[in-house]
Amino acid sequence: MPDTELTYVARDRVLLFIGRAIRMFAYGFLAVVLGLYLRERGHSDTWIGFLVTMTLLGDTVISLWLTTAADRFGRRKTLLIGAALMLLASIVFAMTGNSLLLVLAATIGVISPSGYEVGPFLAVEQASLSHVVSGERRTSVFAWYNLVGTLATAVGALAAGHLAHQLQLRGRTPLESYQWIVVGYGILGLAMAGVFMMLSPHVEAKPAQVKPNTLLGLHKSRGVIFKLSSFFAIDAFGGGFVVMTFLSLWFKSKYQTTDAWLGNIFFGANVLAAVSALSASWLASRIGLINTMVFTHLPSNILLMLVPFMPNVQLAVILLWVRFSISQMDVPTRQSYTMAVVDPDERSAAAGVTGVARSVGAMLAPSLAGRLLSSPATMSSIFFIAGGMKIIYDVLLYRSFTAVKPPEEAAGHAKK
């Protein structure tokens, strides 16, 4: 590879990491106060759950459309469209409390109620990173990529909680303080668009690699990806009960926590999750990707189910933090495994299809979670449903894929 091309590739990696950091800061920034903002707008918890469902439904449709065509349409264009949809959602949410307009904006725009990835960004960025690093380095690069994103989410959550608290101390109403955060979300979307505009053509798929007449951009690996997708949907369905928006509402209802406290809680949780991503790379190099995914995820789900039994907010937060310290170790390993078991020309589509499957699973949960949160008698059941569904996912994944090794693990096993 010529020196000039190497320079562009290195710069593109940095830009992709910067774009990820801005986006995840924005997601964390908004997710902490989204439910509280909608409450202040006069909406019930049940309606908020419905809105979150519509947000995820819209994300599913738009992400499937954009990611499965990204290699043909253009990866940079796809990323810019996603940034524009973030700005659109911010403008509508900041300007009105009208139920119909909010539902339309949530469906068409890009809003993250969980603080986690939504939209077409992750699939395109994963594909772009995967074809410029070796299989041996892929998990490590994804670990750093997730570290950057999770730390950014943590800082965003902290910033939102304290900004809202400070604005209220200075005489702003809760609604006004949350509204400033919604506006900030759109500004961050604009900043991200500026970063993506600087990407070079080297991030694009080569025309010779793009095969026509494929189903959702997949060909040889279709069966593996569809099976993985079905399992990922189960995991995401469980996770949909404990997204950041719902955890904020739970802590607010059960312990009357302040906005600043909520910011601190999710800052700590996301910092611990970020650090664990680097441990995942080290562990996967020793016991394998599937084993790392399952054997770190199982205990984290048991811890999640124990949170409501804590007698006070301090112990509940500590247990939640311990859970976060291992719960996200499956993320870079899951991403790396998906990229490893498909052909290079299927990577954008594979990441997109599995991401959409997660969105489908996640969007089925919020309406039910909103109903459960509306009653003191049932609000803690969100933890039990989430943990139980995630344990089912772990068992199914291990039974089905423990023998399906990525090329680098298979090669290492053959040498032994």
Side-chain angles (χ1 to χ4, degrees):
M1 187 180 289
D3 290 344
T4 303
E5 190 171 345
L6 281 171
T7 301
Y8 277 117
V9 167
R11 192 188 72 165
D12 287 337
R13 288 181 195 168
V14 172
L15 290 173
L16 288 168
F17 270 63
I18 292 173
R20 162 86 166 171
I22 294 172
R23 179 171 71 257
M24 298 311 292
F25 178 93
Y27 288 170
F29 192 60
L30 182 66
V32 169
V33 303
L34 179 61
L36 305 176
Y37 174 66
L38 293 171
R39 268 186 182 176
E40 290 296 325
R41 283 287 195 183
H43 300 293
S44 68
D45 289 352
T46 299
W47 187 88
I48 293 171
F50 168 73
L51 183 77
V52 172
T53 295
M54 296 307 297
T55 299
L56 296 172
L57 174 61
D59 171 62
T60 299
V61 175
I62 291 172
S63 294
L64 184 64
W65 171 49
L66 290 175
T67 56
T68 55
D71 289 346
R72 296 185 297 277
F73 175 70
R75 290 173 178 171
R76 287 176 297 175
K77 291 178 184 177
T78 302
L79 293 171
L80 286 169
I81 289 173
L85 292 175
M86 284 179 63
L87 176 61
L88 171 67
S90 169
I91 291 171
V92 177
F93 269 67
M95 292 181 63
T96 182
N98 180 274
S99 298
L100 178 59
L101 290 177
L102 288 175
V103 169
L104 286 173
T107 304
I108 299 170
V110 173
I111 287 278
S112 174
S114 62
Y116 300 145
E117 277 283 12
V118 295
F121 308 105
L122 182 64
V124 176
E125 290 173 355
Q126 282 179 3
S128 299
L129 288 169
S130 292
H131 81 269
V132 295
V133 299
S134 65
E136 290 73 18
R137 292 187 58 216
R138 186 183 55 251
T139 303
S140 176
V141 169
F142 279 9
W144 282 102
Y145 173 80
N146 281 281
L147 171 71
V148 167
T150 310
L151 282 177
T153 304
V155 176
L158 183 70
H162 283 273
L163 176 60
H165 185 66
Q166 290 300 317
L167 287 171
Q168 290 170 35
L169 288 178
R170 285 163 173 72
R172 299 284 185 178
T173 65
L175 176 61
E176 290 171 334
S177 68
Y178 302 147
Q179 202 164 22
W180 275 105
I181 292 168
V182 174
V183 171
Y185 181 80
I187 294 172
L188 290 165
L190 273 178
M192 192 171 64
V195 172
F196 291 147
M197 289 178 70
M198 292 188 285
L199 289 170
S200 79
H202 292 287
V203 303
E204 305 291 355
K206 295 179 175 62
Q209 292 180 328
V210 182
K211 290 183 172 62
N213 302 321
T214 57
L215 178 62
L216 300 177
L218 299 169
H219 47 91
K220 190 173 89 172
S221 308
R222 192 179 303 159
V224 170
I225 291 303
F226 285 175
K227 193 169 187 179
L228 278 173
S229 297
S230 66
F231 294 165
F232 291 166
I234 294 171
D235 178 46
F237 174 71
F241 285 87
V242 287
V243 298
M244 199 182 299
T245 295
F246 293 149
L247 289 177
S248 293
L249 292 173
W250 185 81
F251 274 105
K252 194 85 167 180
S253 298
K254 187 173 179 67
Y255 297 113
Q256 291 73 55
T257 47
T258 66
D259 295 336
W261 244 96
L262 289 173
N264 293 337
I265 290 170
F266 293 111
F267 173 76
N270 283 290
V271 166
L272 290 168
V275 173
S276 73
L278 296 183
S279 304
S281 175
W282 174 85
L283 188 60
S285 68
R286 284 154 179 80
I287 67 172
L289 292 170
I290 290 293
N291 287 341
T292 302
M293 292 162 66
V294 173
F295 296 144
T296 60
H297 208 231
L298 265 173
S300 78
N301 297 324
I302 294 171
L303 291 172
L304 179 65
M305 297 170 76
L306 294 176
V307 169
F309 293 108
M310 296 301 101
N312 54 55
V313 65
Q314 290 83 4
L315 288 176
V317 170
I318 289 171
L319 193 61
L320 189 68
W321 281 355
V322 174
R323 186 257 174 179
F324 266 89
S325 71
I326 57 174
S327 67
Q328 298 302 299
M329 291 177 72
D330 76 309
V331 176
T333 46
R334 181 183 72 229
Q335 294 167 351
S336 182
Y337 186 82
T338 303
M339 294 295 96
V341 296
V342 302
D343 285 354
D345 63 295
E346 296 177 288
R347 282 174 172 160
S348 287
V353 170
T354 54
V356 164
R358 294 188 63 82
S359 295
V360 170
M363 79 179 181
L364 299 175
S367 292
L368 178 56
R371 289 180 177 274
L372 295 173
L373 281 165
S374 65
S375 169
T378 59
M379 66 181 186
S380 292
S381 61
I382 61 173
F383 293 92
F384 309 136
I385 297 173
M389 295 305 299
K390 284 174 168 290
I391 288 172
I392 292 172
Y393 155 76
D394 290 327
V395 173
L396 290 173
L397 182 70
Y398 186 77
R399 289 186 60 185
S400 299
F401 286 96
T402 186
V404 182
K405 305 292 184 186
E408 60 270 20
E409 288 183 20
H413 184 73
K415 288 179 182 179
K416 293 178 183 179

